[in-house]
Amino acid sequence: MTTIIGVRKGDEVVIAGDGQVSVGQTVMKGTATKVRRLSPGGTDVICGFAGSTADAFTLLERLEKKLEATPGQLARASVELAKDWRTDKYLQKLEAMLIVTDGKDLFVITGAGDVLEPEFDVTAIGSGGNYALAAGRALMDQDLSAEDIARRAMAIASDICVYTNGNLTVESIKA
């Protein structure tokens, strides 16, 4: 289990994720990296994932191939990935969710075929996602940067959710 948050404020987008890997009720690792920067075709994209690690890496590889085929078109690559995920018998079994951004667009991609753009410039996934989302939305009207909002929201989520810790990986990108 994990928590990932994406925050857009001004010309900055941040994705932050905690480092906890749990198997059942046991914490197996506290320093995992669940936020990655990809640079397919020379365009930076930040991705955060929640769910099965192997499944998430499979999806990240697929997304990278879609981005190489459609450089600079995150929306198109995300929709193509979601279509494949929904229709391919192998991919349908994957259990993960992604938050992706190129600094311009911010999306959640799900196995149900959804490519969702957050309504209030904050989105979150994973076991503590609802806590991080609520905290992030509450902080958006404060005089804080996107990174500060993400860090504070994740701190709140990690205080509430036993499957989320405070060891964060934070990546930011400008629009």
Side-chain angles (χ1 to χ4, degrees):
M1 305 281 182
T2 197
T3 303
I4 306 291
I5 189 169
V7 178
R8 176 189 346 211
K9 190 156 186 193
D11 66 346
E12 180 183 36
V13 183
V14 170
I15 297 179
D18 77 306
Q20 185 165 312
V21 177
S22 303
V23 177
Q25 296 179 7
T26 304
V27 176
M28 300 297 287
K29 184 175 183 177
T31 58
T33 302
K34 302 171 199 167
V35 178
R36 302 254 192 269
R37 183 177 295 268
L38 308 174
S39 297
T43 303
D44 280 353
V45 173
I46 300 171
C47 305
F49 60 86
S52 164
T53 304
D55 291 355
F57 278 116
T58 299
L59 293 167
L60 290 176
E61 287 172 8
R62 294 278 183 129
L63 178 61
E64 200 161 18
K65 287 183 176 132
K66 298 291 183 190
L67 288 164
E68 286 169 355
T70 59
Q73 298 180 56
L74 180 60
R76 183 173 175 189
S78 297
V79 168
E80 291 300 317
L81 174 64
K83 285 184 348 191
D84 288 355
W85 195 351
R86 181 88 172 121
T87 58
D88 183 281
K89 287 184 189 259
Y90 168 71
L91 294 178
Q92 284 176 355
K93 294 178 173 55
L94 300 183
E95 296 183 13
M97 293 179 76
L98 303 174
I99 296 178
V100 300
T101 185
D102 59 1
K104 181 180 61 139
D105 292 315
L106 176 63
F107 299 119
V108 173
I109 308 172
T110 74
D114 299 314
V115 177
L116 306 168
E117 188 167 16
E119 196 169 23
F120 300 102
D121 290 332
V122 180
T123 191
I125 57 175
S127 56
N130 288 336
Y131 307 121
L133 176 62
R137 285 191 53 192
L139 293 167
M140 283 298 283
D141 64 351
Q142 302 297 308
D143 186 25
L144 299 169
S145 69
E147 182 171 339
D148 289 339
I149 291 169
R151 286 183 181 279
R152 289 183 185 195
M154 289 295 291
I156 291 168
S158 71
D159 285 345
I160 298 169
C161 178
V162 298
Y163 297 108
T164 302
N165 72 18
N167 294 331
L168 300 183
T169 301
V170 180
E171 289 280 351
S172 66
I173 192 168
K174 299 278 186 182

